[in-house]
Structure formats: C-alpha cells, structure tokens
Amino acid sequence: MNRPARRRLTAAILTVVTVTAGASACSSGAGSADTKGAGSGTYTIWDPYPQFDKTSAWAKLLDKCGTEAGVKIKRTAFDTSDLTNKTLLAAQQDNSPDVLIVDNPVVSTLAEAGVLTTTDDNKLDTSKVNPNLLAAGQSGGKTYGTPIGANTLALYYNKAVLKDAGVDIASVKDWKSLTAALAKVKNAGKKGITFSAIGTEEGSFQFLPWFWGSGAQLAALDSDQAVSALSLWKNWLDKGYAPNSVINNTQTTSWQEFASGDYAFAENGTWQLAGAEKAGFEYGVIPVPGTSGGDAAAPTGGEFVTIPVQGDTGRYATSQKLVSCLTNSQNLLDTDTTLSYVAPTAEVQDKQVAANPDLKPWVDAVQAAKGRTSDDLGTKYPKISEQMWKAVQSALSGSASPNDALGSAQSAVK
C-alpha cells in the first residue's frame, strides 16, 4: 500500500475511533481468527448481523452463494461500530475481507480511505437500484457497492386516538394540517406526537425528514428553511403537542411512549413493525409530510454490500459473483423480509407490497428517502450531524432560539 493511502487510512481510523470511543472496545486487530483461508478457494465475508448464527437463513444464503461461485465462505459478524474499526485496521494490514457489508453512512469514509473498490473496478451491476438509495454509496462521482436493503422513518398513527379527536388521517397532508391534528388530539385529552431528539446521531436522523421537508440543505444549517423546521418542533413542545421527554428520547424510548396507546403519532422506523403488531391497538403509517405537502425525504438506513481492495485483483471476479448472488431479486426478497427492510429495487419492492400491502407507505417513504452522505457530503456529514443535534438540543431545551442555535451550528461546521 502506498504512503498517501496509508495516511488516509490512519486519519480514517482516528476519526472512527473518536466517534465510537466508549461505545465499543476495539479488540486486538483483524488478524488471527478472522484471517482469510490459506487457499484461494476460501473467501471471507464480514457483516454487521451478529444476531444471525450459523444455523440462520442468512448464514445458509452466504454458504449457498459460495457454493454457486465454487468457493468456501468464511463469515465473521461484528457489531456495526466494531465492524468499521476492524475494516480500517484490516485494510492497513493488507488483510481486508473479500466482501464487506457495512452501514451505508460509513461507505464514504471507507471509500475516502482507499479501502473499497468502485463498481468500475469490480463490475457490479447497479442499474436496477433506486438512484436515491444508490446515492448513499457514491462519492466523488464513483459508486462503491450496492445496497442490500433500506429502512427509513415515517409516522405511525393510532387510529382510535385520531377517531376520538375527530381527525381524518386523509386531512394530514402538510405541516399546517398535522399541527392542526395535534391540537385536536390535545383538546380531546390525549397526547400528540413523540419522537427522538436526543443529542446523538439518532436525534439528527429523526430531525432530517423535517429539515429536508422544509427544503433545507445540509450545507446550510442556518437557512430560513432549516429554522422553520426546528421552530416547528419547538412550537410543538411549547404547546404541549409533544412531550419534553423527546429531548432525551432514543428511538426505542420514543416507541415505548407510542406503544402506551396515549399518543396520536410517533416518528419511527420500519424496524418497529413487529412491535406495532403487538401494541394492542389499530395503527396506520403515513410518510412524513413536507412543509407544503408531498412526502418529505427521510434518511435511509441499511447496509451496502461492497468489495474491498485486494492485493490480488484476480479475486474480484469471484467476489462479484458472491455479491451478485446475495443481491439477486429472490435473495433480496428473502433477506429484506427477514431484516424488515424495503428492497432497493422497484421489482422487489412490488413483490413485497404484493405479499404485504401494509408495506406500501414504507415503500413510498423509501422512494422519497435520501442518503445522509448524499449531495457528495461524504465524510463531512458526521461533523454536520453533530452540530445539527446540538442545535436541536439547544432550541428544544430553551437555551437558544432556533435561529441562534442553527447559526452557531453553521459557524461551527465552517
């Protein structure tokens, strides 16, 4: 590996370690137990799904794709934050896995560090992938992998609470009508909306649909549109339409509030669908509305399947076969159903909705969604996000006005 590439790797490692310090401890490098098999017939795959053991359908799919490609699979699963650290360290040691499945906001970090091959290099076909989802894996005009699926945010609603308040969900089309619905709910003695505004990436993740729904751009945190989005949330707290607990809510604790049955709305993700079925009340889902109507862009979650750089470039052809197998239509359908993800292609999305019509609002939300590192933000996003969640905290706690909080955030980013 050349010296500039090593410098980029070292900088990326320091960035990731700083971000994840305290969240997970680094173990002793990516070598020893995780090393590739000695023979060329063994290919390594790293993924962020430790919940799936070797008896799972996911592990069996990996083995099946290996068999079809004529190789043996050595799979290692990590927690998401640990996976990024291990990947950067492995690249520094010229010991990267053949196939890497990684959280989509991390792709730009790995790409900038020189860890990943482009689709021009590895010949992956991404022509069927929704462009807005593929954008999360693009940087500098290059594409680094393909999404395995996506999750995003939308608004769950409690049908009984809205009915008792005299709210027709079809009337909720923009911020004005949503706020009017919250006022009716409060007047009926129930609670309005709950969400997560905690001072972490979760808080930024939940604020982004309103930020983007205002027409704001991440390059200008202090725009009039951005101020209008933060003012919306602040107004809801001031009028009692949202609880003060949102300042400390994670997406999990926010969901627990909604599951109590007292709230009309909750902003949350596809991963709560199983919990919604068990909540004990009838619910529905609508995309987050934009300020003047239409569906706001919500941020995409989910992973990308990538092919890291190898010293032996002859391995790419087999890696490409493995990735193509993992992301073909039938395997995507099975995997995304297991993960509660929306598929990244229209073809498979249609199959998901045909099998479960309740997924239609989520498909609509994903089709309007946007990658957090899109607009070629790449590795600038984490710093922008940190200042965003700090501004949200300042405004909602009352320590600064939305205008001042976002002005300080933009200054800090610069």
Side-chain angles (χ1 to χ4, degrees), residues 155 167-168 171-184 210 213 228 232 235-236 239 241 265 288-294:
L155 295 182
V167 174
D168 178 2
S171 71
V172 179
K173 297 181 179 297
D174 52 25
W175 290 4
K176 183 178 179 179
S177 55
L178 175 57
T179 301
L182 297 177
K184 286 185 177 181
W210 312 96
S228 73
L232 178 75
N235 180 57
W236 286 350
K239 293 191 173 181
Y241 300 161
F265 294 95
V288 175
T291 180
S292 301

Side-chain angles (χ1 to χ4, degrees), residues 48-306:
Y49 310 131
Q51 68 271 34
F52 299 134
D53 65 19
K54 62 183 179 181
T55 67
S56 66
W58 169 248
K60 291 177 181 177
L61 172 61
L62 297 181
D63 288 338
K64 174 176 173 284
C65 288
T67 299
E68 290 180 4
V71 297
K72 184 177 179 180
I73 297 300
K74 181 176 177 59
R75 176 228 179 187
T76 307
F78 299 95
D79 290 328
T80 297
S81 58
D82 203 24
L83 176 57
T84 306
N85 296 333
K86 289 287 178 58
T87 299
L88 290 165
L89 290 168
Q92 197 173 46
Q93 299 162 1
D94 294 330
N95 190 33
S96 293
D98 292 290
V99 175
L100 172 69
I101 303 168
V102 66
D103 196 20
N104 75 68
V106 178
V107 172
S108 58
T109 298
L110 299 180
E112 188 170 294
V115 175
L116 304 178
T117 61
T118 71
T119 51
D120 291 336
D121 298 326
N122 57 45
K123 309 307 179 187
L124 281 178
D125 180 8
T126 60
S127 59
K128 293 183 179 180
V129 178
N130 290 10
N132 64 316
L133 300 183
L134 191 63
Q138 294 175 324
S139 181
K142 300 289 187 179
T143 302
Y144 297 87
T146 187
I148 200 166
N151 55 45
T152 194
L153 297 166
L155 295 182
Y156 288 85
Y157 63 90
N158 184 317
K159 292 184 177 182
V161 170
L162 292 185
K163 182 178 180 182
D164 291 346
V167 174
D168 178 2
I169 192 62
S171 71
V172 179
K173 297 181 179 297
D174 52 25
W175 290 4
K176 183 178 179 179
S177 55
L178 175 57
T179 301
L182 297 177
K184 286 185 177 181
V185 168
K186 185 187 177 187
N187 291 337
K190 289 290 188 178
K191 299 175 181 178
I193 186 168
T194 182
F195 48 87
S196 168
I198 193 170
T200 68
E201 176 61 23
E202 283 188 74
S204 292
F205 191 74
Q206 290 242 319
F207 183 58
L208 276 171
W210 312 96
F211 182 88
W212 282 330
S214 73
Q217 300 294 321
L218 286 171
L221 291 176
D222 59 350
S223 68
D224 291 344
Q225 295 93 333
V227 172
S228 73
L230 189 48
S231 297
L232 178 75
W233 272 18
K234 175 60 173 168
N235 180 57
W236 286 350
L237 263 67
D238 289 346
K239 293 191 173 181
Y241 300 161
N244 287 326
S245 59
V246 300
I247 296 174
N248 297 312
N249 268 350
T250 64
Q251 293 181 109
T252 298
T253 55
S254 170
W255 179 258
Q256 290 167 349
E257 289 179 337
F258 180 68
S260 70
D262 293 331
Y263 284 84
F265 294 95
E267 181 185 1
N268 228 295
T270 48
W271 54 89
Q272 300 291 6
L273 280 170
E277 295 294 339
K278 299 174 183 176
F281 54 81
E282 285 192 81
Y283 74 94
V285 179
I286 59 170
V288 175
T291 180
S292 301
D295 299 342
T300 55
E303 290 78 42
F304 262 63
V305 191
T306 67

Side-chain angles (χ1 to χ4, degrees), residues 322-341:
L322 294 172
V323 176
S324 296
C325 174
L326 292 174
T327 57
N328 72 35
S329 293
Q330 186 56 52
N331 290 336
L332 274 180
L333 179 61
D334 294 341
T335 298
D336 289 338
T337 299
T338 298
L339 295 172
S340 291
Y341 282 178

Side-chain angles (χ1 to χ4, degrees), residues 298-377:
T300 55
E303 290 78 42
F304 262 63
V305 191
T306 67
I307 298 177
V309 171
Q310 302 291 335
D312 178 4
T313 58
R315 298 181 73 86
Y316 296 154
T318 298
S319 296
Q320 188 268 350
K321 290 179 183 178
L322 294 172
V323 176
S324 296
C325 174
L326 292 174
T327 57
N328 72 35
S329 293
Q330 186 56 52
N331 290 336
L332 274 180
L333 179 61
D334 294 341
T335 298
D336 289 338
T337 299
T338 298
L339 295 172
S340 291
Y341 282 178
V342 172
T345 68
E347 176 189 358
V348 183
Q349 290 169 359
D350 290 344
K351 291 179 180 178
Q352 288 181 300
V353 172
N356 181 3
D358 290 342
L359 287 176
K360 181 64 166 64
W362 290 108
V363 169
D364 291 343
V366 163
Q367 289 176 345
K370 186 173 181 177
R372 283 164 278 176
T373 58
S374 296
D375 299 329
D376 217 24
L377 288 176

